[in-house]
Amino acid sequence: MSTTQSDRLRGLLEPLVAAKGLDLEEIELSRAGKRRMLRIIVDSDEGVELDACAELSREVSDALDESEAMGEDEYVLEVSSPGADRPLTEHRHYVRAIGRLVKFQLSDGEETVARVLDVDDEGLDLEIPGVKGRKATARRITFTDIAKARVEIEFNRKDKKEEEA
């Protein structure tokens, strides 16, 4: 997508998304046969419910129909939340991952899996799970040390509400 079109779309969509209390994470425009596919990814600290995506989709569709941002060609609009395997790239992504297990690839090539305990402006406090009966260890990494990070899916993890009960 051209920078100008991307900027126009972002300028049009960000206020609509923000009005719903959501963050505009990504805008993707691609070809799907003869039509174009416009995919808008939104998120929030509380996550995004299906009803919120549907409502936002209607509003975005109306706004796009009223504007020249998509031109005259047909397009398919998809509004969704990011998948569980989305890379962590923004500070807010790490804050949302507090309490979750994350796989880190560090700048020096090291890979580690750790639970995010806290996030501040410089980096993260982590707990590296113990292996074979060993105790978990604490570790601090800075954002500049992180090359890639992605939440690990845990099928047997207790929910925070279950732990408090």
Side-chain angles (χ1 to χ4, degrees), residues 68-88:
E68 302 279 328
M70 290 298 291
E72 296 297 317
D73 294 337
E74 289 184 26
Y75 64 92
V76 175
L77 174 63
E78 179 183 301
V79 177
S80 66
S81 62
D85 61 346
R86 172 237 352 236
L88 305 178

Side-chain angles (χ1 to χ4, degrees), residues 26 29 31 56 79 96 112 116 142 155 157 163:
E26 194 173 340
L29 186 60
R31 283 264 170 220
L56 181 60
V79 177
R96 292 174 186 157
T112 189
V116 178
T142 62
F155 293 105
R157 180 173 172 252
E163 290 174 0

Side-chain angles (χ1 to χ4, degrees), residues 126-140:
L126 307 173
E127 178 183 74
I128 300 174
V131 180
K132 296 183 181 177
R134 292 188 178 148
K135 283 186 154 187
T137 56
R139 179 166 182 189
R140 170 86 180 165

Side-chain angles (χ1 to χ4, degrees), residues 25 86-96 119 143:
E25 294 290 345
R86 172 237 352 236
L88 305 178
T89 56
E90 302 284 335
H91 185 273
R92 67 178 177 267
H93 299 164
Y94 291 99
V95 170
R96 292 174 186 157
V119 178
F143 289 116

Side-chain angles (χ1 to χ4, degrees), residues 92-157:
R92 67 178 177 267
H93 299 164
Y94 291 99
V95 170
R96 292 174 186 157
I98 290 175
R100 312 265 324 256
L101 206 56
V102 175
K103 182 176 185 178
F104 295 94
Q105 183 176 349
L106 303 179
S107 320
D108 64 6
E110 177 189 354
E111 282 191 3
T112 189
V113 176
R115 192 165 309 281
V116 178
L117 299 177
D118 196 22
V119 178
D120 59 33
D121 291 339
E122 285 80 41
L124 308 133
D125 292 325
L126 307 173
E127 178 183 74
I128 300 174
V131 180
K132 296 183 181 177
R134 292 188 178 148
K135 283 186 154 187
T137 56
R139 179 166 182 189
R140 170 86 180 165
I141 60 172
T142 62
F143 289 116
T144 57
D145 292 334
I146 302 171
K148 294 180 185 176
R150 189 176 305 267
V151 170
E152 291 282 286
I153 305 300
E154 296 179 83
F155 293 105
N156 60 353
R157 180 173 172 252

